[in-house]
Amino acid sequence: MAEPGAKSSGSAVAGFELPMLLFAGFRSIIDELHRELAERGYPDTRPAYGYALQAIGRDGATASEIGRRLGVSKQAAGKTVEKLEGLGYVERVDDPEDGRRKLVRLTARGVDILVKSAEGFDRLRAEWVRVLGADRVRAMEEDLRMMVPASAFRLDAAGWFNG
């Protein structure tokens, strides 16, 4: 097995390296983003919360809808919503279209963390551009868009990882 961070000569690269390098790149970006968010007043956030906040979206969603979007049960989605509500990122309100249902909506704090996350992602991409160069980063993104099906852009990563 290759040592972490070791450079490959380009010949006879083990097949497992590509997914591991892609995941390690993803993980390094997410970990750095969360360090930044902690410094900016969000020390309690976790990567899974970002997926959940995206699943809730601008218009809000029911626990069942959140569960479907995340690929988890309604009960698991409910637990995540409880945690997010306790942290002040979301609130539950009566659904204006059906008084029997509760709608989960982002609070101002929830919107703010999404804005700060987007700013953080922009800063981190700029760092990759600084180190690798704009052409290489752009080419990498184009290559990944070509190889990754559009259906891969889903919010159910946490559920997928947990099986």
Side-chain angles (χ1 to χ4, degrees):
M1 184 173 211
E3 291 294 316
K7 297 206 184 227
S8 170
S9 65
S11 62
V13 176
F16 71 85
E17 270 193 83
L18 178 60
M20 296 303 292
L21 287 168
L22 289 169
F23 181 71
F26 169 81
R27 176 78 190 257
S28 68
I29 290 170
I30 297 300
D31 287 348
E32 182 59 29
L33 175 70
H34 282 268
R35 276 190 286 282
E36 285 185 18
L37 289 172
E39 291 170 5
R40 296 183 78 186
Y42 295 94
D44 49 11
T45 190
R46 302 290 174 266
Y49 299 169
Y51 288 103
L53 293 171
Q54 291 292 330
I56 293 163
R58 294 180 183 171
D59 298 328
T62 65
S64 294
E65 291 167 333
I66 295 165
R68 265 193 311 281
R69 292 171 187 171
L70 295 175
V72 299
S73 70
K74 178 182 173 182
Q75 293 77 14
K79 285 184 179 187
T80 300
V81 167
E82 284 177 24
K83 184 69 174 172
L84 293 172
E85 189 174 31
L87 294 169
Y89 296 127
V90 302
E91 62 185 355
R92 295 179 210 224
V93 298
D94 291 333
D95 185 334
E97 295 178 15
D98 184 347
R100 298 169 295 172
R101 296 185 335 165
K102 289 289 187 185
L103 196 61
V104 179
R105 289 193 316 204
L106 300 175
T107 62
R109 181 173 168 80
V111 171
D112 189 55
I113 194 169
L114 288 177
V115 168
K116 285 185 172 58
S117 294
E119 293 167 355
F121 282 128
D122 287 344
R123 274 192 304 284
L124 292 165
R125 184 184 183 282
E127 176 62 12
W128 281 51
V129 167
R130 186 188 69 74
V131 173
L132 300 174
D135 291 341
R136 288 184 67 194
V137 171
R138 196 171 18 261
M140 177 176 45
E141 290 168 337
E142 289 171 7
D143 290 345
L144 287 168
R145 282 186 198 99
M146 187 175 9
M147 296 303 297
V148 176
S151 63
F153 291 99
R154 298 170 31 184
L155 298 174
D156 65 351
W160 180 78
F161 269 117
N162 293 327

